[in-house]
C-alpha cells in the first residue's frame, strides 16, 4: 500500500495578472504551501502539506522549481516504478491557465519540456543503456481525448467518430478500437505526441472548442520480456503509464458558460466532478476503520464517468499514482486556487495497492483462450457457429430468424459493455457478441511486433496524408517534424486561446497559388478548414516572387490585422489573419523578417511572440469597435434628426388641438354658467311660497322675454314644482355637492389609518316596501302633504354607504352622521 504522491506547483504571474497589478497569495516553505485570503484581514492564512510544493514564479529566485526539478522528483520515480512493472499514472489538476499542460507537456525548447516528453526520452535512454541485452522491450503508445464524455482517438484519423468504452471481464474497462502505436525510439513518440497535439488543435479549432474543456490521456504500454539464461524461463513485466492532462477545474458557472457551453461544461465536469467524488470516497475508505473499509470501497462511483471508469485502476487500485495540482499565484484566483489546494489535500489520503504486472499478458491470453473455447462450446450446443472472420452460422431453426435479424442489424452491436459475469449463462446473441469481442482482443494480443509496426506505419502514413490534405506541414525540408521555423517559404501559423495549442499548425504559402476553403469544394483546396463561416472556396493566397497577396472571395470573412478585407491585399510579415470566425493565424515571411531584424527598423514593433491569439482578438475587437462606433454615431445622428422632426410636428399638432380644446372648453363653460344661473334661479323659487305672484323679482327675464306665460302655464308650473319639491331633487343635489368634501375626507382618513372602510354616496327612497330606518328618515314637516297611507310622499334622500371591507359589512349613514 502506498499513498498517492501529491505535488502542487505555482506558475509565474501571467500578462493579465501583471497588468491588473495582482498580489501574490501563495508562499511555500519546504513542502508546505501557504495561501493568504486577500479579502480577509484576520485569520486569513491556510497552510497545506504535500509531498512536494513547487515554487515556479520567478526563474532567478533560488527556490525556483524548474521543469527538470519536477521531472527529477516525480517523473524519475514513476519511471522507476514502470521499469519495476507497476502501472503508473500522473495527472495534472487545476484551473485553466494554471500550468497543467506546461507541467505535463511543456514547450518544445529543450529545458522547457514537461514530464511526458522527459519520461519518454528517458525510457528509451534507460533501455539503450541497459546491460540486459537479452531483454526484449516493446513500447506502445495511445493518445486520446475525452470531450463531453466521448473518447476521440488523437493518433488514428480513421477513427473519425468517438470510440466506445467497454468493459471486459478480464481486461476491465477499455476503449474499443483505440489505436496503439508501436514505437522504437523517443523520436517516434515525439512525432506521435506532436501529431496528436496537432489533431487535437485542428479538432478544437474546427469545432470552436477549447482544450480547457477536454481531458487528454497519453498512455504508454511498456513491456519487458526477459529470459532467465539458466532456467530458460521467460518472464514478462508490463507497465501501463497513464499521463493525464485534465480539463480546467473551474466551475461551469464561473466561466460564464451558458446553453450548450454549459451543457458541455456539465458533461466535462461530469468526469471532473466524478473524479472529485471518487477521490473523496477513496479518502474516506483509507480513513475508515478496517471493518468498514470493504463496505465503503464498494460504493466508489467509478462508473459514473468515462474518465474515472478508464482510470479506475490508477485511482486507489493497481497503480503508483502521482498528482500535480497547478496553481495561479494571483489574488484574483484565490477561490479557485484554494479549491485546488483542498482537492489536492484530499487526494493525499488515497491509498493504492500496486502489484507488479508479471506475466499478465500470458495469463490473459490463457484465460481468454479458455473463455473463447467455453463460449464456442456453449454456442455449439445451441447450434450456433462463429467463423474465424466473425460471421455467424445458425444450424437450427430457432436461430434462423435471429440470423436474419442479426444480419440486418450488422455486426457492430451497440451495447457498451460485455457481459461482466462469465459464470452467468449468456443468451446466444450475447455469447456471439462476447465471442467476437474476445477474438478481436485475442488477435490483438497475438499480433507480432512486426505486424504492430506495420500497422503503426500504415496509420502514420494515413495520418500524414490527412494532414497534407488539410495543408498542415509536418516536415521541414522532408526531415524533422514538429515546431520549427521554415527557412524561406512564407507561412501561416495558427494561434489559439490555449497557449499549448498555439503555433503548432503550420500552413505554407508556396510559390504560385494557395487555395483556402473546405474539403467539399469542387476545386481541391490546398488549405482545408472547417467551421463557422468558412466558404467552400474561401480565399486565395498568391505568392509571386516573394510577394504574398490575399484575395478574399466575395462575402467570405477575412480579416487582416483586425480589419475586414474585401479587396486583394499584400501581406507583411507578422500580420494577423483571421478566416471565418475561429481560424486565427499569424503570417510570417521569413525573408521580410530577416530584413526587418537586420535593419532593426522598428524596435518598438511587437515581437512575434506577443502577436498571439489574445493580441489578434483584441485588435479585431478594437478595429471593429472603431468602425462600429462610426456606424453608431451616424445612426445616432439620423435618429436624432428624425426625433427632432417628429417632435416639431407633434408640437404643431398639439398646439392645434390645444386651441381646439380651449375653444370647446370656453363654449362649454359658457353653457354651464348659463345653466347654473337658470338652476339657481329655480332653486330660489323653492324658498318662496309666492311662486305665482306677478311681481316676483326672480322671474327669469330670459324666459319672460321669450315665452309669455298664460295662467294655465303658471298653474302647470306650480303643480310640477310642487311635485318636484316633494322629490327634493334640488336638495339632493345640494346634499351631494355640499357633502362631497366630507366624503372625500372620510375616505382619505380611512386610507391613512388603513381602516379598509370605503364611503360612498347612495340614494335611498322611502317606500312602503322599503321603509327607511328611523335614523335616516327625515323628520316630517307639519304642513307636508301626506299620502293616503299616512306616509309622506315617497322621499329620496342622500345617504352614505359605508363598506367595511375587513368585515364584509355594509352600513348606511345619514349625512349628519358622516359629518
Ligand atoms: P493549463 O494547461 O493549466 O490551462 P498552461 O499549461 O497552458 O495552463 O499554462 C498557461 C500559460 O502559463 C502558458 O503560457 C504556460 O507557458 C505558462 N506557464 C504555466 N506554468 C508555467 C511555469 N511553471 N513556468 C513558466 N510558464 C508557465
Ligand atoms: Mg492546458
Amino acid at each position: 500500500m502506498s499513498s498517492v504522491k501529491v505535488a502542487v506547483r505555482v506558475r509565474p504571474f501571467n500578462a493579465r495578472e501583471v497588468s491588473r497589478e495582482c498580489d501574490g497569495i501563495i508562499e511555500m516553505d519546504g513542502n508546505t504551501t501557504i495561501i493568504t485570503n486577500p479579502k480577509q484581514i484576520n485569520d486569513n492564512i491556510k497552510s497545506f502539506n504535500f509531498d512536494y510544493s513547487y515554487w515556479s514564479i520567478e526563474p532567478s529566485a533560488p527556490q525556483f522549481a524548474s521543469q527538470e526539478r519536477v521531472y527529477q522528483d516525480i517523473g524519475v520515480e514513476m519511471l522507476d516504478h514502470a521499469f519495476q512493472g507497476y502501472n503508473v499514472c500522473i495527472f495534472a489538476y487545476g484551473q485553466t491557465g494554471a500550468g497543467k499542460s506546461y507541467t505535463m507537456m511543456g514547450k518544445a525548447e529543450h529545458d522547457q519540456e514537461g514530464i511526458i516528453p522527459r519520461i519518454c526520452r528517458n525510457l528509451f535512454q534507460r533501455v539503450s543503456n541497459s546491460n540486459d541485452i537479452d531483454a526484449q522491450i516493446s513500447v506502445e503508445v495511445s493518445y486520446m481525448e475525452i470531450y463531453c464524455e466521448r473518447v476521440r482517438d488523437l493518433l488514428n484519423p480513421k477513427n473519425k467518430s468517438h470510440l466506445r468504452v467497454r468493459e471486459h471481464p478480464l481486461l476491465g474497462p477499455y476503449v474499443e478500437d483505440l489505436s496503439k502505436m508501436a514505437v522504437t525510439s523517443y523520436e517516434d513518440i515525439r512525432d506521435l505526441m506532436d501529431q496528436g497535439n496537432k489533431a487535437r488543435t485542428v479538432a478544437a479549432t474546427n469545432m470552436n472548442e477549447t482544450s480547457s474543456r477536454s481531458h487528454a490521456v497519453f498512455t504508454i504500454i511498456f513491456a519487458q520480456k526477459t529470459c532467465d539464461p539458466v532456467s530458460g524461463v521467460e518472464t514478462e513485466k508490463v507497465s501501463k503509464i497513464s499521463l493525464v492532462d485534465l480539463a480546467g477545474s473551474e466551475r461551469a458557472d464561473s466561466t460564464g458558460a451558458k446553453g450548450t457551453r454549459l451543457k458541455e461544461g456539465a458533461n466535462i465536469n461530469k468526469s471532473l466532478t466524478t473524479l472529485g467524488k471518487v477521490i473523496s470516497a477513496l479518502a474516506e475508505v483509507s480513513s475508515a476503520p478496517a471493518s468498514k473499509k470493504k463496505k465503503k470501497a464498494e460504493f466508489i462511483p467509478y462508473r459514473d464517468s468515462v474518465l474515472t471508469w478508464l482510470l479506475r485502476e490508477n485511482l486507489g487500485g493497481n497503480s503508483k499514482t502521482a498528482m500535480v495540482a497547478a496553481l495561479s499565484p494571483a489574488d484574483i484566483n484565490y477561490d479557485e486556487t484554494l479549491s485546488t489546494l483542498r482537492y489536492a489535500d484530499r487526494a493525499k489520503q488515497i491509498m493504492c495497492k500496486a502489484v507488479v504486472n508479471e506475466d499478465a499478458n500470458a495469463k490473459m491470453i490463457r484465460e481468454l483462450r479458455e473463455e473463447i473455447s467455453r463460449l464456442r462450446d456453449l454456442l455449439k450446443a445451441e447450434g450456433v457457429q462463429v467463423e474465424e472472420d466473425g460471421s455467424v452460422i445458425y444450424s437450427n431453426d430457432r436461430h434462423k430468424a435471429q440470423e436474419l435479424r442479426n444480419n440486418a442489424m450488422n455486426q457492430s452491436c451497440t451495447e457498451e459493455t460485455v457481459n461482466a459475469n462469465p459464470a452467468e449463462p449468456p443468451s446466444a446473441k450475447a455469447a456471439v457478441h462476447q465471442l467476437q469481442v474476445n477474438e478481436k482482443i485475442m488477435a490483438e494480443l497475438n499480433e507480432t511486433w512486426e505486424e504492430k509496426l506495420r500497422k503503426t506505419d500504415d496509420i502514420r502514413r494515413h495520418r500524414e496524408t490527412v494532414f497534407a490534405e488539410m495543408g498542415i506541414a509536418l516536415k521541414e525540408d522532408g526531415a524533422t517534424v514538429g515546431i520549427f521555423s521554415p527557412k524561406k517559404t512564407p507561412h501561416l501559423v495558427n494561434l489559439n486561446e490555449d497557449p499549448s495549442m498555439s503555433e503548432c499548425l503550420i500552413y505554407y504559402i508556396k510559390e504560385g497559388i494557395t487555395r483556402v476553403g473546405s474539403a467539399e469544394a469542387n476545386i481541391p483546396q490546398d488549405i482545408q478548414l472547417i467551421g463557422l463561416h468558412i466558404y467552400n472556396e474561401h480565399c486565395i493566397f498568391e505568392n509571386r516572387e516573394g510577394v504574398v497577396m490575399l484575395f478574399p472571395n466575395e462575402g467570405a470573412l477575412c480579416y487582416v490585422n483586425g480589419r475586414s478585407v474585401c479587396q486583394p491585399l499584400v501581406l507583411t510579415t507578422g500580420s494577423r489573419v483571421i478566416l471565418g470566425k475561429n481560424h486565427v493565424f499569424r503570417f510570417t515571411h521569413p525573408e521580410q523578417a530577416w530584413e526587418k531584424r537586420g535593419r532593426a527598423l522598428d524596435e518598438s514593433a511587437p515581437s512575434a511572440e506577443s502577436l498571439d491569439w489574445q493580441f489578434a482578438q483584441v485588435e479585431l475587437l478594437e478595429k471593429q469597435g472603431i468602425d462600429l462606433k462610426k456606424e453608431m454615431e451616424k445612426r445616432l445622428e439620423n435618429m436624432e434628426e428624425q426625433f427632432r422632426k417628429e417632435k416639431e410636428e407633434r408640437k404643431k399638432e398639439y398646439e392645434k388641438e390645444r386651441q381646439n380644446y380651449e375653444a370647446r372648453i370656453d363654449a362649454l363653460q359658457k353653457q354651464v354658467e348659463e345653466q347654473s344661473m337658470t338652476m339657481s334661479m329655480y332653486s330660489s323659487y323653492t324658498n318662496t311660497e309666492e311662486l305665482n305672484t306677478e311681481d316676483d323679482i326672480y322671474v327669469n327675464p330670459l324666459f319672460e322675454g321669450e315665452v309669455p306665460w298664460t295662467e294655465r302655464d303658471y298653474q302647470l308650473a306650480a303643480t310640477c314644482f310642487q311635485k318636484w319639491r316633494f322629490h327634493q331633487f334640488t336638495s339632493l343635489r345640494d346634499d351631494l355637492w355640499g357633502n362631497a368634501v366630507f366624503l372625500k375626507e372620510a375616505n382619505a382618513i380611512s386610507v391613512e389609518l388603513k381602516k379598509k372602510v370605503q364611503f360612498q354616496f347612495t340614494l335611498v327612497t322611502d317606500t312602503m316596501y322599503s321603509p327607511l330606518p328611523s335614523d335616516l328618515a327625515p323628520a316630517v314637516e307639519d304642513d307636508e302633504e301626506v299620502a293616503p297611507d299616512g306616509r309622506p310622499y315617497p322621499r329620496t334622500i342622500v345617504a352614505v354607504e359605508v363598506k367595511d371591507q375587513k368585515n364584509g359589512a355594509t352600513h348606511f349613514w345619514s349625512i349628519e352622521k358622516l359629518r
Side-chain angles (χ1 to χ4, degrees):
M1 290 286 254
S2 65
S3 57
V4 167
K5 277 256 149 70
V6 178
V8 295
R9 185 183 198 190
V10 60
R11 64 151 166 76
F13 285 89
N14 63 26
R16 188 164 147 264
E17 291 160 351
V18 170
S19 73
R20 287 177 66 175
E21 296 180 347
C22 291
D23 287 326
I25 52 164
I26 299 291
E27 275 172 73
M28 285 171 173
D29 183 10
N31 296 338
T32 307
T33 297
I34 301 147
I35 184 167
T36 309
N37 184 348
K39 289 166 268 182
Q40 206 172 315
I41 296 154
N42 300 318
D43 192 23
N44 59 346
I45 279 172
K46 289 187 179 67
S47 80
F48 297 86
N49 285 318
F50 299 106
D51 294 294
Y52 305 101
S53 286
Y54 294 121
W55 192 91
S56 301
I57 298 184
E58 175 53 55
S60 60
Q63 72 270 42
F64 178 75
S66 63
Q67 295 280 64
E68 175 63 16
R69 163 88 191 281
V70 176
Y71 173 72
Q72 285 301 332
D73 288 343
I74 299 170
V76 170
E77 185 192 327
M78 291 298 151
L79 194 58
D80 285 343
H81 290 318
F83 272 91
Q84 290 155 4
Y86 291 108
N87 289 337
V88 163
C89 173
I90 305 175
F91 62 97
Y93 182 89
Q95 85 183 102
T96 299
K100 298 180 295 294
S101 305
Y102 183 82
T103 298
M104 295 305 281
M105 274 292 177
K107 291 186 182 172
E109 290 90 57
H110 187 69
D111 60 343
Q112 294 207 48
E113 282 179 330
I115 295 175
I116 300 179
R118 282 169 203 263
I119 283 188
C120 296
R121 182 189 317 210
N122 285 333
L123 187 143
F124 281 101
Q125 257 169 19
R126 276 164 80 158
V127 166
S128 67
N129 290 346
S130 163
N131 299 326
D132 199 348
I133 16 171
D134 294 328
Q136 277 181 46
I137 302 293
S138 76
V139 183
E140 289 171 275
V141 169
S142 71
Y143 195 11
M144 66 175 161
E145 179 182 53
I146 302 172
Y147 185 84
C148 287
E149 294 301 291
R150 295 180 159 197
V151 179
R152 186 189 279 160
D153 190 340
L154 294 175
L155 297 181
N156 188 352
K158 278 199 182 117
N159 285 330
K160 281 201 180 75
S161 57
H162 68 275
L163 302 178
R164 261 183 232 133
V165 176
R166 287 191 184 279
E167 191 194 354
H168 189 274
L170 300 172
L171 242 64
Y174 70 103
V175 181
E176 190 186 37
D177 294 330
L178 179 70
S179 328
K180 288 195 208 85
M181 306 292 168
V183 288
T184 52
S185 67
Y186 167 64
E187 284 67 35
D188 284 351
I189 299 199
R190 192 192 58 194
D191 291 356
L192 286 172
M193 266 184 312
D194 183 59
Q195 293 186 12
N197 289 338
K198 280 181 166 53
R200 196 177 176 210
T201 305
V202 168
T205 312
N206 287 345
M207 304 300 165
N208 196 23
E209 309 159 350
T210 73
S211 62
S212 63
R213 297 167 193 282
S214 64
H215 312 277
V217 183
F218 191 85
T219 311
I220 306 164
I221 295 160
F222 174 47
Q224 312 164 78
K225 221 182 242 173
T226 46
C227 184
D228 188 290
V230 184
S231 64
V233 175
E234 256 191 9
T235 52
E236 191 191 35
K237 284 187 283 189
V238 181
S239 163
K240 192 168 129 190
I241 308 170
S242 306
L243 303 159
V244 187
D245 186 354
L246 292 172
S249 60
E250 59 276 1
R251 274 159 274 121
D253 55 21
S254 70
T255 55
K258 300 235 165 62
T260 15
R261 282 264 174 263
L262 188 66
K263 201 175 128 224
E264 281 172 20
N267 249 337
I268 287 147
N269 282 349
K270 194 178 171 199
S271 267
L272 215 54
T273 44
T274 309
L275 181 65
K277 284 183 199 158
V278 167
I279 287 176
S280 293
L282 285 169
E284 260 180 53
V285 170
S286 58
S287 61
S291 60
K292 292 202 173 142
K293 270 192 172 34
K294 197 159 175 243
K295 187 136 189 76
K296 279 200 184 282
E298 280 167 18
F299 292 104
I300 294 165
Y302 294 114
R303 277 174 173 272
D304 288 0
S305 82
V306 168
L307 182 85
T308 49
W309 192 218
L310 290 175
L311 294 183
R312 187 182 64 168
E313 283 306 321
N314 301 115
L315 300 160
N318 175 19
S319 172
K320 299 275 187 187
T321 298
M323 166 177 164
V324 183
L327 310 174
S328 151
D331 52 3
I332 47 170
N333 292 317
Y334 172 76
D335 292 333
E336 285 298 341
T337 305
L338 180 63
S339 113
T340 302
L341 284 169
R342 292 203 163 122
Y343 205 96
D345 201 45
R346 223 171 303 139
K348 264 183 352 196
Q349 301 173 46
I350 300 174
M351 301 300 286
C352 286
K353 211 166 117 189
V355 291
V356 170
N357 298 313
E358 209 153 15
D359 297 322
N361 267 356
K363 187 166 162 251
M364 177 116 66
I365 290 174
R366 205 169 52 238
E367 284 176 356
L368 260 180
R369 197 171 284 144
E370 281 165 17
E371 175 68 3
I372 287 170
S373 76
R374 190 184 69 84
L375 284 167
R376 277 195 185 282
D377 289 348
L378 193 129
L379 286 170
K380 209 167 169 186
E382 289 271 319
V384 185
Q385 201 181 328
V386 180
E387 298 289 289
E388 290 280 293
D389 62 354
S391 62
V392 190
I393 298 167
Y394 297 89
S395 50
N396 84 24
D397 287 343
R398 189 155 62 86
H399 293 298
K400 276 261 156 49
Q402 194 177 10
E403 180 184 7
L404 291 172
R405 242 179 293 133
N406 278 3
N407 285 347
M409 262 174 66
N410 105 28
Q411 284 188 3
S412 71
C413 203
T414 51
E415 289 153 345
E416 292 291 306
T417 54
V418 184
N419 185 3
N421 185 357
E424 194 181 88
S427 72
K429 193 178 146 204
V432 167
H433 181 228
Q434 201 172 329
L435 187 62
Q436 286 166 339
V437 168
N438 285 341
E439 301 263 29
K440 199 160 144 187
I441 295 169
M442 190 70 163
E444 248 175 58
L445 285 170
N446 278 332
E447 252 174 21
T448 63
W449 185 243
E450 284 65 36
E451 277 169 336
K452 281 180 181 170
L453 283 175
R454 210 196 54 240
K455 243 189 184 171
T456 300
D457 205 47
D458 285 348
I459 296 172
R460 178 188 57 80
R461 248 178 289 142
H462 180 71
R463 192 172 53 233
E464 289 179 1
T465 316
V466 170
F467 279 127
E469 271 169 11
M470 289 192 282
I472 295 167
L474 292 176
K475 296 180 183 182
E476 182 193 18
D477 308 329
T480 54
V481 182
I483 301 164
F484 53 85
S485 177
K487 296 270 150 46
K488 279 197 192 115
T489 320
H491 55 272
L492 294 168
V493 51
N494 81 306
L495 300 178
N496 194 292
E497 189 175 8
D498 185 333
S500 65
M501 284 193 172
S502 229
E503 302 183 41
C504 71
L505 307 177
I506 293 172
Y507 300 89
Y508 281 115
I509 313 290
K510 58 184 191 289
E511 181 75 24
I513 280 182
T514 302
R515 295 172 197 279
V516 182
S518 76
E520 281 83 51
N522 292 330
I523 311 167
Q525 302 291 302
D526 304 294
I527 296 177
Q528 293 179 359
L529 306 174
I530 298 177
L532 216 55
H533 303 284
I534 292 294
Y535 285 17
N536 279 354
E537 290 172 35
H538 198 85
C539 63
I540 290 172
F541 290 95
E542 198 186 61
N543 180 358
R544 293 257 176 263
E545 289 163 8
V547 177
V548 177
M549 280 190 94
L550 167 64
F551 294 82
N553 280 339
E554 206 183 317
L557 284 187
C558 300
Y559 301 90
V560 173
N561 298 336
R563 289 208 182 279
S564 175
V565 178
C566 308
Q567 300 295 320
L569 183 81
V570 175
L571 294 180
T572 54
T573 193
S575 295
R576 284 70 60 201
V577 180
I578 302 180
L579 304 179
K581 291 275 182 197
N582 327 323
H583 295 273
V584 184
F585 307 94
R586 188 178 59 231
F587 171 73
T588 303
H589 198 314
E591 283 173 358
Q592 280 180 13
W594 287 336
E595 241 172 68
K596 242 188 184 173
R597 252 177 265 143
R599 279 185 281 157
L601 266 182
D602 190 0
E603 287 196 339
S604 64
S607 64
E609 294 80 64
S610 66
L611 300 176
D612 59 2
W613 185 89
Q614 194 78 28
F615 185 94
Q617 294 294 330
V618 168
E619 167 185 70
L620 177 73
L621 284 180
E622 259 175 26
K623 293 283 158 63
Q624 302 314 302
I626 289 164
D627 292 346
L628 268 183
K629 213 168 145 192
K630 264 189 207 155
E631 175 84 350
M632 290 273 277
E633 268 168 18
K634 218 169 89 190
R635 278 200 201 170
L636 209 66
E637 241 168 53
N638 285 347
M639 278 167 76
E640 272 174 3
E641 177 66 29
Q642 200 178 338
F643 177 69
R644 225 189 47 239
K645 269 189 200 155
E646 281 181 9
K647 201 171 141 190
E648 208 112 285
E649 266 168 36
R650 291 281 167 281
K651 214 170 147 186
K652 270 186 209 155
E653 270 173 31
Y654 167 77
E655 192 60 23
K656 222 164 94 188
E657 249 165 49
R658 193 180 63 86
Q659 284 170 358
N660 262 346
Y661 275 117
E662 273 178 3
R664 276 170 70 183
I665 287 168
D666 279 349
L668 280 172
Q669 191 135 10
K670 231 178 192 166
Q671 222 174 322
V672 168
E673 270 165 19
E674 273 170 16
Q675 271 176 7
S676 79
M677 209 154 91
T678 319
M679 292 297 252
S680 61
M681 265 190 260
Y682 273 104
S683 171
S684 328
Y685 282 134
T686 60
N687 295 331
T688 167
E689 297 298 310
E690 289 89 18
L691 183 70
N692 36 10
T693 329
E694 299 273 312
D695 56 357
D696 187 351
I697 50 161
Y698 295 109
V699 169
N700 189 339
L702 272 175
F703 284 82
E704 198 182 36
E706 282 168 18
V707 191
W709 282 26
T710 63
E711 194 64 23
R712 188 176 147 66
D713 287 339
Y714 279 114
Q715 284 277 284
L716 271 175
T719 323
C720 287
F721 177 65
Q722 203 73 8
K723 288 218 166 191
W724 169 76
R725 191 186 165 220
F726 268 119
H727 290 282
Q728 292 205 327
F729 282 129
T730 332
S731 62
L732 285 181
R733 186 197 65 183
D734 287 349
D735 282 347
L736 286 170
W737 286 10
N739 293 302
V741 59
F742 297 109
L743 190 84
K744 207 167 161 186
E745 200 172 333
N747 276 322
I749 292 169
S750 159
V751 169
E752 205 160 302
L753 299 179
K754 299 202 172 78
K755 284 281 186 215
K756 292 216 166 186
V757 178
Q758 207 180 36
F759 300 89
Q760 67 186 48
F761 285 131
T762 181
L763 296 179
V764 287
T765 305
D766 183 48
T767 66
M768 201 162 70
Y769 311 103
S770 59
L772 289 179
S774 59
D775 57 331
L776 289 183
V780 181
E781 281 161 36
D782 294 342
D783 59 342
E784 218 164 346
E785 277 186 56
V786 177
D789 62 351
R791 299 170 61 87
Y793 279 101
R795 279 171 163 237
T796 297
I797 60 147
V798 177
V800 180
E801 190 181 300
V802 184
K803 278 193 179 157
D804 184 347
Q805 282 161 334
K806 203 153 63 191
N807 301 318
T810 305
H811 312 284
F812 291 95
W813 287 3
S814 65
I815 296 279
E816 285 68 37
K817 192 166 176 190
L818 173 76
R819 283 172 178 241

